[in-house]
Amino acid sequence: MPDLAHHNLDIKRVAILFAGGPAPAANAVISTAAFSFLEEGAQVFGIKHGYSRLAEYTAAGPLTEGDDYIRFTHDTLINARSSRGIMIGTARTNPGKHVSSPEHLKDPELVAPLRRVYEGLCSLEVDALISIGGDDTLKTANKLKMFQDNLPGDARRFPVVHLPKTIDNDYSGIDFTFGFFTAVETLAEEIRNLNFDAAAGRAYFLCEAMGRSAGWLAYGAAIAGEASMVLSVEDITGALADEEVISAETGATRKVMAIDRVIDRMVDMMLAREREGRPYGTIVIAEGMAEFLPSKYLEGITRDDHGHINISLINLSALMSRLLAERYTERTGKHRKVNGLQLGYEARCAPPHAYDVILGSQLGVGAYRALVEEKLNGVMVSSAGQFDLHFVPFEELVDPQTLVTKVRFIEQNSDFHRLARFLETCVDN
């Protein structure tokens, strides 16, 4: 394990920033972090809407209180811990998107957005930054620390501590992320409702859950919602995977979904349920399976700033529900209605459950403990066991050459993965 980096600052002014998609219990994290510092007499600034304003900072355009940041007081934190939404807003602006290796930090043009962020925070004379967000925000936190490491010896520096956030729960370095279980329960309740709708009409619902990189949310919602089947990116292996040639010249290939076999597996499940007298059900798939579609399904699909396929342009649930209905008819000569639905946005600002409020609160307090009690810099706050705090160095979470984070997948044949197999309708493989 890398050595923990320390600072020797007396922290009297701290900035809190939230970036990326919303998650339940966001305000538990923000408010407890702010409260911890306010109790010690520090000033706490809430940077509004992620990095969007900081990335455009110039000396000619100072940050404005109210528009660009707020100054936390005890009054602003009343009843905030269990409230919905994000009290300082969010955005997906990524000031480090052009920096993909340590060498890029020496290029003034590539590093310019990070420099503007640094200068904007320096204009507030902050002694520390608390970053809250997903894997891209973790990467930005690491790059901002590395940017400061490369500054001249007499330059102003402030430590950076990161708090992990994603309802996808695919973060390395922590068992569960705040908001995950609230999001699972929100989607599970929808699936439970759909189960009754499906039974009434002898139909199927094919639900596409959020989860670009891993299947935690799909699996959790399927298990808690009593779905008939769940599949995610981790399942695109063995018989459900193919290789597609993407360059005849080099022989390069990419792993793709064996979509015919995936659809047949679903039909097998439908037929098994019919033999049991249940001609209806729900199927949950993770949206990230779209990344594994054969190229013919991705023609004309653009990519976002992070290089990800724009999944919203594909509508995986609509595509696969159509293929499933057609294949069912081909194999049986009968018709079965299959409705495709996309689930996820409604879960991101749901009222947080007690577990997520407790976890989020511990992470928020953990930021204070990391910065003030432990004097740490460049760490992610984690929690395990009886909400015991752990401080994980950025170097353990980010590849030192590519500066890319490590995704935490559901392990094939782990007990959690096998739980879904035990509980869904049995299909002979």
Side-chain angles (χ1 to χ4, degrees), residues 174-225:
I174 190 168
D175 292 333
F176 295 102
T177 46
F178 71 85
F180 169 69
F181 282 109
T182 300
V184 163
E185 174 58 21
T186 303
L187 299 190
E189 179 62 15
E190 293 190 54
I191 293 167
R192 289 191 286 266
N193 292 340
L194 294 173
N195 285 338
F196 286 95
D197 191 306
R202 292 179 295 179
Y204 273 84
F205 287 93
L206 195 153
C207 304
E208 176 186 349
M210 284 185 170
R212 176 184 292 276
S213 300
W216 292 98
L217 189 55
Y219 266 69
I223 292 168

Side-chain angles (χ1 to χ4, degrees), residues 82-125:
S82 59
S83 63
R84 303 191 202 194
I86 307 170
M87 59 200 308
I88 54 177
T90 188
R92 293 193 179 276
T93 303
N94 181 2
K97 67 181 179 180
H98 299 303
V99 176
S100 56
S101 77
E103 288 300 311
H104 290 168
L105 290 164
K106 300 174 184 177
D107 187 316
E109 185 175 343
L110 296 178
V111 86
L114 283 173
R115 178 175 291 280
R116 290 194 290 270
V117 168
Y118 164 79
E119 291 173 349
L121 290 169
C122 285
S123 75
L124 297 177
E125 299 182 340

Side-chain angles (χ1 to χ4, degrees), residues 189-352:
E189 179 62 15
E190 293 190 54
I191 293 167
R192 289 191 286 266
N193 292 340
L194 294 173
N195 285 338
F196 286 95
D197 191 306
R202 292 179 295 179
Y204 273 84
F205 287 93
L206 195 153
C207 304
E208 176 186 349
M210 284 185 170
R212 176 184 292 276
S213 300
W216 292 98
L217 189 55
Y219 266 69
I223 292 168
E226 300 193 46
S228 311
M229 171 177 278
V230 58
L231 290 171
S232 181
V233 296
E234 291 91 344
D235 298 306
I236 305 306
T237 185
L240 300 186
D242 271 334
E243 282 197 348
E244 178 183 83
V245 176
I246 57 175
S247 173
E249 295 180 359
T250 64
T253 62
R254 63 182 280 257
K255 185 170 81 168
V256 298
M257 185 193 319
I259 194 162
D260 291 341
R261 292 194 286 276
V262 169
I263 296 298
D264 270 326
R265 181 178 175 86
M266 294 178 181
V267 175
D268 290 343
M269 179 273 296
M270 295 169 70
L271 297 178
R273 289 179 66 83
E274 288 183 11
R275 290 192 295 271
E276 298 168 354
R278 295 179 294 167
Y280 59 87
T282 54
I283 301 168
V284 182
I285 58 174
E287 65 177 358
M289 291 172 67
E291 297 272 3
F292 293 89
L293 285 171
S295 295
K296 68 177 182 179
Y297 295 101
L298 301 178
E299 293 176 1
I301 302 298
T302 58
R303 293 182 178 267
D304 62 19
D305 288 343
H306 306 295
H308 302 147
I309 290 170
N310 281 321
I311 288 176
S312 61
L313 299 179
I314 297 173
N315 198 337
L316 184 65
S317 59
L319 169 64
M320 296 195 73
S321 61
R322 175 177 58 82
L323 295 174
L324 179 56
E326 292 173 353
R327 183 60 176 154
Y328 175 85
T329 298
E330 287 176 9
R331 287 181 54 178
T332 66
K334 299 183 294 185
H335 173 74
R336 185 73 63 201
K337 187 174 183 181
V338 182
N339 303 286
L341 292 175
Q342 291 178 308
L343 307 178
Y345 283 103
E346 61 272 42
R348 302 196 303 176
C349 286

